Amino acid sequence: MSVESLEKQHIADAIKNTVTDEDVNLVAQKYTNNKTVQVLKYDIGNYSEGSLGFLGSHRNLKVTLQRSDASNPETVSFFVKSMPYDCKEQADFLSSEGIFIKESNFFNAIVPLLERYCESEKWHATCYLAKDDSMILEDLRYQGYNVLSKTFDDTLAIKSVLACFARFHSCSILAEHYINRNSKKQTTLNEQYPGYFDEKVFVQTSKIVRWIKCGEDLACLLAKHLGYNPNNIRKAYDQVYKILGPSKTHRNVVCHGDPWSNNIMFADNSPLYKCILVDFQIVRYGPLVMDILQFLHLKATRTYREKHEKDLLKLYYSILKETIERNDSTKSVGIPTLEEILIAMDDMRLLGLVTAVQYFPISMLDAKVAADCTKDSDSYNHFLFVDRITTTLAHMKVNNFYKKSIEEAVIELAEKCESLFE
């Protein structure tokens, strides 16, 4: 067998082993809450025609199972996310950064803790199995969930996401309160679980710094073209490195950390959409406004935010407060005030601005262009870690929405920088 054939066989074996017979049996047992359930057969196929993101391979698992108390078998669909072993550069990157281990730790240890002390409307997809290189979750498509457009000024959708974040953050505040209730020495979730919330994006000691640098260089180039000082953009990026992580002045919680389009799913409901967060690969511990800022700057236009942001924060706060008070049997949980949240939004505004500038050239790409940029290891590595300028500028020439979104984000960041650094 040739070296090339051996390599292909190795890749095929690695992909196959991300979901084993034992895994499927465990998932069936957890799904049915029945250890005697039998798996009759299962099949793994593509989840969609296009790529769903840049941090994993996504597949569909269909399992035909037989419950002991049912006369007929049933077929259930699950969502599989695993290491993309067929793209070596991507797989090596995810492995070196511990991305899958981070999300596995989140579902295996953190989610049960957060839900132990807080009953609320669902805010995450159910995970039936989480390993270091793969996980099997419920398939939200069969419950009517879908992603919406890349950006929107849809008040109902925006309110739904903020309500979801409020429930998620409430769980964190309540969990921290109860683990400290009978403890002489107060501790944080970050201290209780060392390494679980380490920063994975804005770090200067790993390969991802090249991902950041490509975005920063592009932003500086565009800022200069638009008549702004590119040095201020670099100062803004430097500042974001400093403000991420636990704060000494603002309320810290477990944060999602990556609220872009494909990581938020919606289903019809009233009075708000049902909203579910997916992909906790960049989960952080820090000020609760981090999620709010990143989401609002990624999903709503500047005009919309300037008009509605305070009212949206009032909604977020009302749900945060109601959820905590409903689950607080001690009546002693310290709830941050709305004023404290507004102050934190101002203090950390650069995070939202820089996130939009960094993400838009990637997240706003047409599906076909994005697929071409990640079709193999060389393409993936070049676009994400070597040269993002060429592809971005070319696409800006042919897609006005893409061009407008990126330029507006750069202009808003540049104007904020002028008030901060000049």
Side-chain angles (χ1 to χ4, degrees):
M1 185 177 288
S2 67
V3 174
E4 183 179 353
S5 297
L6 285 171
E7 185 175 341
K8 287 183 178 179
Q9 184 61 49
H10 175 73
I11 292 172
D13 291 342
I15 293 173
K16 181 180 179 181
N17 289 332
T18 57
V19 178
T20 66
D21 293 350
E22 182 181 358
D23 293 338
V24 177
N25 284 323
L26 285 172
V27 168
Q29 291 173 19
K30 290 182 181 179
Y31 174 77
T32 61
N33 195 28
N34 185 340
K35 290 189 176 182
T36 64
V37 67
Q38 289 185 306
V39 173
L40 303 181
K41 65 177 181 178
Y42 69 90
D43 178 68
I44 301 177
N46 293 332
Y47 190 80
S48 65
E49 293 182 1
S51 173
L52 299 181
F54 295 89
L55 294 181
S57 175
H58 305 102
R59 290 172 291 160
N60 173 249
L61 168 66
K62 285 190 175 181
V63 182
T64 300
L65 53 86
Q66 179 67 61
R67 300 175 191 253
S68 57
D69 57 353
S71 56
N72 296 316
E74 62 181 293
T75 300
V76 186
S77 178
F78 298 95
F79 176 68
V80 179
K81 180 165 62 174
S82 63
M83 289 285 286
Y85 289 114
D86 54 340
C87 181
K88 186 177 185 303
E89 188 72 31
Q90 188 178 5
D92 289 347
F93 167 67
L94 295 176
S95 178
S96 65
E97 300 304 317
I99 297 294
F100 267 82
I101 294 174
K102 188 179 182 72
E103 189 167 20
S104 175
N105 287 339
F106 176 74
F107 277 113
N108 287 330
I110 305 303
V111 168
L113 177 66
L114 298 185
E115 294 185 332
R116 185 182 308 163
Y117 303 104
C118 182
E119 292 185 5
S120 72
E121 188 176 329
K122 188 172 179 176
W123 48 267
H124 67 89
T126 300
C127 181
Y128 294 103
L129 182 69
K131 304 191 298 183
D132 288 351
D133 69 347
S134 63
M135 55 194 60
I136 302 175
L137 304 101
E138 65 179 319
D139 191 340
L140 292 169
R141 295 180 304 181
Y142 288 86
Q143 300 176 37
Y145 283 91
N146 291 286
V147 297
L148 295 185
S149 59
K150 296 181 184 298
T151 60
F152 50 81
D153 288 342
D154 181 339
T155 299
L156 184 59
I158 291 173
K159 286 182 176 180
S160 300
V161 178
L162 292 178
C164 186
F165 275 129
R167 293 189 291 271
F168 173 32
H169 296 161
S170 297
C171 291
S172 181
I173 291 173
L174 284 158
E176 198 157 89
H177 168 78
Y178 279 101
I179 64 174
N180 280 313
R181 186 181 176 191
N182 298 315
S183 175
K184 293 181 180 180
K185 182 180 179 181
Q186 298 297 292
T187 186
T188 67
L189 292 175
N190 191 46
E191 293 166 336
Q192 284 271 322
Y193 295 89
Y196 279 40
F197 305 107
D198 286 352
E199 178 60 31
K200 292 296 183 182
V201 179
F202 283 92
V203 288
Q204 295 177 313
T205 58
S206 70
K207 180 179 178 178
I208 204 166
V209 74
R210 289 161 49 191
W211 180 82
I212 296 288
K213 188 66 165 56
C214 282
E216 182 180 338
D217 289 343
L218 172 62
C220 290
L221 178 69
L222 292 173
K224 184 176 181 180
H225 174 73
L226 293 165
Y228 295 94
N229 183 353
N231 291 329
N232 284 341
I233 303 297
R234 299 204 185 278
K235 291 178 182 178
Y237 270 77
D238 289 342
Q239 193 65 27
V240 168
Y241 281 100
K242 298 175 183 178
I243 64 176
L244 281 172
S247 170
K248 295 181 180 179
T249 56
H250 304 307
R251 178 58 63 91
N252 297 307
V253 296
V254 179
C255 290
H256 181 278
D258 193 22
W260 74 292
S261 305
N262 283 17
N263 290 345
I264 305 170
M265 300 188 72
F266 300 88
D268 288 338
N269 199 31
S270 180
L272 299 177
Y273 295 128
K274 290 181 180 178
C275 177
I276 293 288
L277 302 173
V278 298
D279 280 353
F280 291 84
Q281 295 174 313
I282 306 177
V283 62
R284 295 177 168 123
Y285 182 83
L288 54 80
V289 298
M290 292 195 301
D291 277 339
I292 301 172
L293 279 166
Q294 289 190 297
F295 166 69
L296 289 178
H297 280 269
L298 288 174
K299 301 301 294 181
T301 62
R302 180 180 186 177
T303 300
Y304 184 91
R305 280 185 277 106
E306 290 175 347
K307 183 177 181 181
H308 298 289
E309 184 173 284
K310 189 166 184 179
D311 287 336
L312 293 170
L313 288 171
K314 288 179 180 178
L315 170 76
Y316 165 87
Y317 178 71
S318 68
I319 295 174
L320 180 84
K321 186 171 183 289
E322 186 277 329
T323 305
I324 292 174
E325 289 177 342
R326 176 165 42 83
N327 287 277
D328 178 18
S329 61
T330 67
K331 305 303 177 186
S332 60
V333 175
I335 304 174
T337 66
L338 177 60
E339 183 62 27
E340 288 171 344
I341 292 173
L342 293 172
I343 291 171
M345 289 285 287
D346 287 339
D347 286 350
M348 299 195 66
R349 179 67 61 179
L350 277 180
L351 174 61
L353 294 165
V354 169
T355 296
V357 167
Q358 183 71 21
Y359 274 49
F360 278 178
I362 302 171
S363 65
M364 293 287 187
L365 279 174
D366 289 340
K368 184 179 184 305
V369 179
D372 287 342
C373 290
T374 57
K375 62 185 177 182
D376 53 42
S377 290
D378 289 340
S379 300
Y380 176 89
N381 184 64
H382 186 78
F383 176 63
L384 292 183
F385 303 110
V386 179
D387 173 23
R388 204 168 305 145
I389 291 175
T390 302
T391 298
T392 301
L393 294 183
H395 199 50
M396 288 175 72
K397 290 180 180 180
V398 299
N399 188 315
N400 190 58
F401 176 76
Y402 182 74
K403 177 177 183 291
K404 182 180 178 182
S405 299
I406 294 173
E407 287 185 346
E408 286 184 350
V410 172
I411 289 170
E412 187 176 4
L413 174 59
E415 289 179 353
K416 180 66 174 179
C417 289
E418 286 181 343
S419 67
L420 291 174
F421 306 129
E422 293 185 3

